[in-house]
Amino acid sequence: MTAVLKHELRNYFHSLTAYVFGAFLLAFVGIGAMLYNIQAAVSNFEFVLSFGCLVFVFIVPILTMRVIAEERKQRTDQLLYALPITTTQVIIGKYLALLAVYLIPMCLICLYPLIFSQYGDVYLLTSYGSILAFFIMGAALIALGVFISSLTDNQGFAAGIGIAVILLNYYSVRLSEYVSSTAVGSAVALCVLILILGAVVRHLTKNNSFAYIVSFALIAGVVIAYIVDATKFEGLLPGIMAKLSLFERFYSFVNGIFDMTSIVYYITVAVFFLFLSVQSMEKRRYN
Amino acid sequence: MITVEHLTKRYGDFTAVNDLSFEIEDGHVYGFLGPNGAGKSTTMNIMTGCLSATEGHIRIDGYDIFEEPDCAKKLMGYLPEQPPLYMNETSLEYLKFVGEAKGVKGRELDRQIESVISQTRLEDVKDRLISNLSKGYRQRVGIAQALLGNPGVIILDEPTVGLDPIQIIEIRDLIKQLGQKHTVILSSHILSEVQTICEKVLIIDKGKLVAFDKPENLEKLLMVSNAVSFIAEAETDEINEVMEELEAVADWQMKTQENGSVRVDVKIEFGEVSDVCRHIFFAFAQRKKALLELSSKKANLEDVFLELTESGVDTASVDNGGKTDKSDTELTENNNVEWMERQVDNR
């Protein structure tokens, strides 16, 4: 694992990736600090971060697009499979290297509230609380990026899908206002989601009957639940969309609440996608 | 020692490896031979843990590759068909990474890297980026990588493909050297290569093991059905007449050439080849017809291979769906290599 970690770190600092990632993150947060803290003279650093989290939409896919896709393209994944290390170790090593690259600009950002506190009253607790949440949210998004990169051998494709998924997540709360909140609408949308899930399961397992059984069981469950109690479905879809948003949860930190459930949620998301990445790499062994 | 038992690999309906069983003993150079798509790479990938098997077991010194992959993988070094190199690193950095991943640390790692670099003669290029290295050097970095951690078994998948003749000779020499200390398994579709390097040959066709023996023994298999070929300036009727006189002759084929002479390939069922040659010579001399060429052919590994893989090239090209051109060029490439080898030897 340490071998993979060291190797990846060397790779990031040999190439431009780490520098581009750090530069974009610092530039965006810097612009935010200028707008909010200096020009508008607001003493809350949290607002800067809530402005800055839009930058994740672009920089996370840039950072993670090559992490596994490139190994596949260059056929170096064969080396990783043949080495006496497990796929889990490979993924964790790679993920820790990504976190290290992400941690460096974050350390610089940690200096901002300290500097501002020299010139006014900065409430440091909420500032650092939201910096921590900002870091953990980014870590969850990076895990998502790793998973997307593990699905393809085309870097550009991985980046494109990554941007689309994170952007959708960023706007999901605003979009949720436009989706149907009636019971029927929610039930139909759920069925469509289940069918998409079934297609993904079919793609990953190459097992038709398993995918059909899973999707039909879930759809049957939805239909039965709808017949039993249709009122439960009212407003379900917008609710789910809002709940899935990683960014929406971050705003509670900005408002000064250190919400442990959100931290647990971020960590769960990260672990979930890393687990899927391991499965996706293992699947190559079984294709 | 490697034991492969009833190994089967299916991709949907397609069976790439079909109930393959064999044992590999320590300290020899083994050759995997088979046409393109015979299942050589698949077998090697499964043996090294890069691929799962549908059925069967593989044990390396008693460790099952599927159940105790860590222990089993430490005993093997693998060079896939396309060397798995990181282009933006120098050879030294790359070898360091692989060594560390194989669990070699500190001074031992430095010592091992130095030793594999000198073994594969990479001293001059160790600080160059791999992307700037020639194909021959890249192949050597790949072999160096496989040697790290001092594994007992080195598995090389088509190590000489795409190299120029001189590089091929260098890599072959390197493999021979490795064979003195390690068990080497290499795959190839080039017969002469296997014949010169390997002590034992496994011939695989359509995922099945069709032969497993020393190259000399495999040649002996076909020694019995020797053949004679000659070119005569005669009418086909006359040739048929001469051939019918000979009891030892089993079959013959004629081909009229542009200048009017006829090329005849004769299969002999029994008896000495020299007797048949003598008879042919005098028969045509009596009829006052000139013989432009007369030669006896011994079966070589190529014939064994074609025989065992059922008229080899034909089926192979059918399997590959119209890739006949490729195998043709490979054959000529092979001839060129042999020619170059001779040139180099003469020097």
Side-chain angles (χ1 to χ4, degrees):
Chain A
M1 194 175 84
T2 44
V4 178
L5 171 64
K6 272 197 219 156
H7 178 246
E8 287 291 309
L9 274 181
R10 192 170 52 215
N11 228 320
Y12 287 126
F13 289 103
H14 269 200
S15 66
L16 276 175
T17 329
Y19 303 104
V20 169
F21 175 83
F24 266 96
L25 185 58
L26 287 176
F28 223 72
V29 173
I31 291 169
M34 196 188 72
L35 287 177
Y36 287 86
N37 296 132
I38 296 172
Q39 290 210 317
V42 178
S43 68
N44 298 54
F45 188 67
E46 306 87 85
F47 296 160
V48 176
L49 295 177
S50 89
F51 164 82
C53 59
L54 179 64
V55 76
F56 280 135
V57 172
F58 305 100
I59 61 172
V60 167
I62 287 174
L63 184 65
T64 58
M65 63 182 184
R66 57 159 286 283
V67 65
I68 296 168
E70 186 66 5
E71 302 260 6
R72 280 198 183 166
K73 191 157 199 195
Q74 303 286 348
R75 297 275 191 135
T76 42
D77 56 339
Q78 287 221 316
L79 175 72
L80 298 178
Y81 289 127
L83 285 172
I85 43 177
T86 62
T87 321
T88 317
Q89 284 173 319
V90 171
I91 295 285
I92 292 176
K94 280 175 176 288
Y95 185 62
L96 289 181
L98 287 167
L99 285 191
V101 168
Y102 174 37
L103 200 59
I104 292 165
M106 284 310 289
C107 287
L108 288 173
I109 289 173
C110 279
L111 296 176
Y112 288 20
L114 276 183
I115 294 169
F116 291 137
S117 69
Q118 301 296 311
Y119 303 98
D121 270 343
V122 179
Y123 194 47
L124 289 178
L125 224 52
T126 50
S127 297
Y128 284 106
S130 37
I131 286 178
L132 182 66
F134 188 76
F135 177 73
I136 297 175
M137 179 178 71
L141 288 172
I142 287 174
L144 170 69
V146 171
F147 172 63
I148 291 169
S149 176
S150 77
L151 293 176
T152 168
D153 56 6
N154 186 333
Q155 281 193 37
F157 189 68
I161 296 286
I163 289 174
V165 168
I166 298 176
L167 200 63
L168 204 67
N169 196 281
Y170 186 81
Y171 283 117
S172 72
V173 174
R174 234 173 282 178
L175 284 175
S176 72
E177 289 164 16
Y178 299 100
V179 297
S180 161
S181 62
T182 60
V184 185
S186 294
V188 170
L190 267 183
C191 291
V192 171
L193 280 179
I194 289 166
L195 285 177
I196 293 171
L197 179 80
V200 172
V201 168
R202 205 186 118 181
H203 175 73
L204 286 179
T205 60
K206 297 263 184 329
N207 188 337
N208 281 344
S209 39
F210 178 69
Y212 287 133
I213 289 168
V214 167
S215 347
F216 283 115
L218 287 173
I219 288 175
V222 169
V223 170
I224 290 166
Y226 183 78
I227 292 165
V228 172
D229 188 1
T231 52
K232 282 254 169 71
F233 281 84
E234 263 166 43
L236 188 66
L237 187 61
I240 289 176
M241 279 177 75
K243 277 270 185 303
L244 282 180
S245 170
L246 290 157
F247 293 93
E248 188 61 21
R249 285 170 183 272
F250 179 64
Y251 298 132
S252 68
F253 292 95
V254 173
N255 294 329
I257 305 159
F258 195 83
D259 184 5
M260 275 315 281
T261 53
S262 299
I263 297 287
V264 172
Y265 176 71
Y266 288 147
I267 294 172
T268 316
V269 167
V271 172
F272 176 67
F273 281 113
L274 291 181
F275 170 76
L276 284 187
S277 315
V278 172
Q279 297 312 309
S280 163
M281 266 192 91
E282 276 296 316
K283 188 204 137 216
R284 291 267 292 189
R285 224 193 275 251
Y286 289 89
N287 67 348
Chain B
M1 193 176 79
I2 302 178
T3 344
V4 175
E5 283 167 8
H6 305 290
L7 188 69
T8 302
K9 176 75 185 174
R10 282 188 213 99
Y11 295 102
D13 296 333
F14 176 70
T15 311
V17 178
N18 193 355
D19 199 26
L20 198 63
S21 297
F22 57 87
E23 263 184 27
I24 283 177
E25 278 156 29
D26 290 341
H28 295 284
V29 180
Y30 287 83
F32 257 54
L33 197 60
N36 291 324
K40 296 173 302 222
S41 292
T42 311
T43 311
M44 290 190 146
N45 274 332
I46 298 173
M47 281 166 74
T48 50
C50 293
L51 209 63
S52 72
T54 315
E55 274 164 46
H57 290 283
I58 294 172
R59 284 192 194 85
I60 295 102
D61 285 348
Y63 295 112
D64 193 301
I65 186 75
F66 306 122
E67 275 150 34
E68 297 161 283
D70 278 16
C71 297
K73 282 178 189 171
K74 276 195 177 146
L75 302 169
M76 285 184 297
Y78 178 40
L79 172 66
E81 196 171 350
Q82 196 182 338
L85 306 172
Y86 294 97
M87 292 300 163
N88 52 358
E89 289 180 324
T90 66
S91 323
L92 203 59
E93 286 172 336
Y94 174 71
L95 291 176
K96 243 186 194 151
F97 161 60
V98 176
E100 278 173 7
K102 286 187 177 180
V104 190
K105 281 183 197 125
R107 238 178 245 158
E108 173 63 14
L109 180 63
D110 293 338
R111 202 191 56 74
Q112 279 199 17
I113 288 178
E114 206 172 299
S115 115
V116 295
I117 282 180
S118 74
Q119 250 179 306
T120 49
R121 272 176 271 141
L122 284 170
E123 290 95 342
D124 299 338
V125 298
K126 66 180 180 190
D127 292 318
R128 274 211 252 161
L129 283 182
I130 292 176
S131 57
N132 296 337
L133 295 182
S134 71
K135 232 182 157 190
Y137 272 118
R138 285 184 193 177
Q139 201 74 26
R140 285 200 223 170
V141 177
I143 295 178
Q145 162 271 119
L147 288 171
L148 280 173
N150 216 355
V153 186
I154 309 284
I155 299 180
L156 309 168
D157 196 357
E158 308 219 351
T160 56
V161 156
L163 301 183
D164 73 39
I166 294 172
Q167 290 171 330
I168 290 183
I169 295 163
E170 285 174 353
I171 296 284
R172 284 183 192 170
D173 287 341
L174 177 61
I175 294 170
K176 275 186 200 163
Q177 271 177 31
L178 295 178
Q180 291 161 3
K181 279 191 197 162
H182 308 263
T183 309
V184 180
I185 306 172
L186 65 93
S187 75
S188 179
H189 58 259
I190 301 170
L191 291 140
S192 63
E193 179 167 287
V194 170
Q195 214 158 3
T196 49
I197 313 176
C198 301
E199 291 155 57
K200 276 199 165 179
V201 182
L202 294 98
I203 299 181
I204 295 180
D205 185 40
K206 291 174 193 153
K208 280 195 165 169
L209 188 67
V210 286
F212 184 13
D213 213 332
K214 289 181 181 164
E216 308 93 80
N217 291 350
L218 287 175
E219 279 171 30
K220 268 183 210 153
L221 269 181
L222 275 201
M223 278 300 209
V224 227
S225 62
N226 277 351
V228 172
S229 79
F230 63 88
I231 299 175
E233 279 183 331
E235 297 301 317
T236 47
D237 296 348
E238 278 176 306
I239 293 167
N240 281 335
E241 212 173 282
V242 174
M243 287 297 110
E244 273 155 20
E245 285 170 20
L246 275 161
E247 279 179 15
V249 169
D251 190 23
W252 68 92
Q253 280 177 331
M254 288 185 289
K255 206 170 149 191
T256 313
Q257 285 175 317
E258 278 171 19
N259 58 4
S261 57
V262 184
R263 184 181 182 92
V264 190
D265 289 309
V266 188
K267 244 191 185 171
I268 299 166
E269 210 164 29
F270 57 87
E272 285 291 310
V273 186
S274 50
D275 287 342
V276 177
C277 286
R278 204 172 293 124
H279 184 97
I280 291 170
F281 174 79
F282 285 119
F284 283 99
Q286 260 177 12
R287 289 172 169 80
K288 290 228 175 330
K289 299 290 179 190
L291 269 181
L292 301 179
E293 202 183 297
L294 176 62
S295 60
S296 61
K297 270 201 300 190
K298 256 191 193 172
N300 59 10
L301 204 49
E302 192 131 3
D303 298 318
V304 181
F305 181 63
L306 292 180
E307 183 96 337
L308 290 172
T309 56
E310 294 163 318
S311 64
V313 179
D314 290 343
T315 48
S317 53
V318 171
D319 281 351
N320 291 336
K323 275 192 192 164
T324 337
D325 296 345
K326 204 188 160 203
S327 59
D328 281 345
T329 49
E330 269 160 7
L331 278 177
T332 47
E333 231 177 62
N334 184 16
N335 290 339
N336 285 338
V337 169
E338 276 171 9
W339 178 80
M340 282 292 289
E341 253 182 340
R342 254 177 264 139
Q343 300 290 309
V344 172
D345 286 346
N346 289 343
R347 262 188 264 146

